[in-house]
């Protein structure tokens, strides 16, 4: 049995949970899945035992606990992937870290107006100018990564990296909310949607029965 356990939320809704789950699945790091449906008395009780301020994802490596998606991704890369979570070239790695950090700290309009919801497919969805600004920035980041560093494969830096894990839930949102995208961004969304582990996550999310009202638009 693996010493790693990933504690995460509802697959339908929990975008932060998807990120470390995807990197570990992509690189075949073996781990036990512990799903905790969020915003229930049971989840509050279970998560109150951990250091993560009531939030998921949390990674347990034996007794060692690390929380927050980006910190978990870094830990997995260092501890289990020999650094393969980031591009090997120094400058590509610096940019991959920059776009991942920007994803982690920004795009509030997209995140709040378009909550991840694997079950939903919207037509004619309208969003604010703030969300459009986020979308434009994300598309320009994707374009820059793909054109400057993406030669070696379909991912932002060629090989699949932490940056792809960070942006995968944004790609699912763009798809689900029917956002019209420039060619490179649209192609990247398709690459994410075709990822076999993304397809598995979406299917498992669709089979969940819990409804989180705040994430239903
Ligand atoms: N910055 C954190 C955000 C974690 C987060 O907000 N997780 C959400 C689920 S996607 C959560 O646990 N929400 C439960 C709550 O706020 O009570 C990360 O990157 O992991």
């Amino acid at each position: 049995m693996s010493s790693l356990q990933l504690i995460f939320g509802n697959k339908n809704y929990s975008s932060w949970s998807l990120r470390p789950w995807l990197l570990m699945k992509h690189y075949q790091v073996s781990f036990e899945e512990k799903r905790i449906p969020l915003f229930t008395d049971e989840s509050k009780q279970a998560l109150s035992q951990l250091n993560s301020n009531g939030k998921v994802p949390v990674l347990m490596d034996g007794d060692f606990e690390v929380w927050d998606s980006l910190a978990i991704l870094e830990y997995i890369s260092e501890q289990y992937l020999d650094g393969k979570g980031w591009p090997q070239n120094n400058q590509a790695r610096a940019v991959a870290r920059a776009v991942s950090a920007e994803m982690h700290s920004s795009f509030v309009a997209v995140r709040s107006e378009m909550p991840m919801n694997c079950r939903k497919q919207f037509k004619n969805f309208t969003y604010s100018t703030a969300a459009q600004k986020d979308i434009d920035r994300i598309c320009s980041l994707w374009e820059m990564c793909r054109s400057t560093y993406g030669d070696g494969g379909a991912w932002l830096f060629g090989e699949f990296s932490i940056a792809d894990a960070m942006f995968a839930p944004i790609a699912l949102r763009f798809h689900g909310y029917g956002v019209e995208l420039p060619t490179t961004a649209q192609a990247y969304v398709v690459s994410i949607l075709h990822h076999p582990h993304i397809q598995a996550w979406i299917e498992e999310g669709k089979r969940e029965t819990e409804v989180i009202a705040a994430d239903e638009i």
Side-chain angles (χ1 to χ4, degrees):
M1 205 172 113
S2 168
S3 67
L4 284 179
Q5 182 189 58
L6 184 67
I7 302 169
F8 56 86
N10 314 60
K11 286 188 173 171
N12 189 55
Y13 300 109
S14 184
S15 58
W16 295 112
S17 299
L18 168 56
R19 293 168 165 106
W21 185 93
L22 181 59
L23 187 79
M24 288 196 277
K25 286 288 184 185
H26 181 89
Y27 280 110
Q28 300 177 347
V29 176
S30 135
F31 65 102
E32 184 196 329
E33 299 193 17
K34 183 166 179 184
R35 191 184 81 96
I36 299 187
L38 296 174
F39 302 109
T40 65
D41 290 343
E42 293 77 25
S43 69
K44 285 187 184 107
Q45 167 63 23
L47 294 173
S48 71
Q49 317 291 320
L50 302 166
N51 284 323
S52 66
N53 200 19
K55 296 195 190 300
V56 290
V58 174
L59 183 78
M60 301 299 306
D61 190 353
D63 291 336
F64 175 68
E65 176 185 340
V66 58
W67 63 99
D68 195 287
S69 54
L70 196 47
I72 296 171
L73 289 160
E74 291 269 14
Y75 179 79
I76 293 294
S77 177
E78 285 173 18
Q79 201 73 7
Y80 291 95
L81 299 178
D82 213 8
K84 247 192 332 198
W86 293 117
Q88 294 311 293
N89 173 275
N90 288 357
Q91 291 186 350
R93 187 163 64 252
V95 174
R97 283 201 160 105
V99 299
S100 299
E102 186 168 340
M103 172 65 251
H104 198 233
S105 61
S106 315
F107 312 128
V108 175
V110 160
R111 277 160 42 198
S112 59
E113 291 177 37
M114 304 176 189
M116 193 175 89
N117 189 335
C118 299
R119 294 180 199 128
K120 289 280 174 71
Q121 181 68 63
F122 290 88
K123 282 202 179 97
N124 305 319
F125 184 78
T126 53
Y127 42 82
S128 68
T129 48
Q132 184 64 61
K133 206 169 155 213
D134 284 353
I135 292 165
D136 292 345
R137 172 66 180 164
I138 292 164
C139 290
S140 78
L141 290 178
W142 289 356
E143 169 67 40
M144 177 271 292
C145 293
R146 291 285 305 132
S147 62
T148 315
Y149 305 104
D151 272 356
W155 308 110
L156 292 175
F157 293 84
E159 297 270 309
F160 191 89
S161 76
I162 287 174
D164 299 293
M166 287 302 287
F167 278 104
I170 291 286
L172 297 194
R173 286 172 160 109
F174 286 175
H175 173 66
Y177 290 87
V179 177
E180 282 200 31
L181 298 169
T183 312
T184 303
Q186 183 56 36
Y188 181 64
V189 168
V190 169
S191 298
I192 294 282
L193 289 172
H194 285 172
H195 193 298
H197 292 299
I198 284 286
Q199 291 181 357
W201 175 278
I202 291 172
E203 284 316 308
E204 287 158 32
K206 284 181 175 167
R207 281 201 293 274
E208 292 174 345
T209 53
E210 304 94 9
V211 173
I212 298 179
D215 285 343
E216 292 291 334
I217 300 291

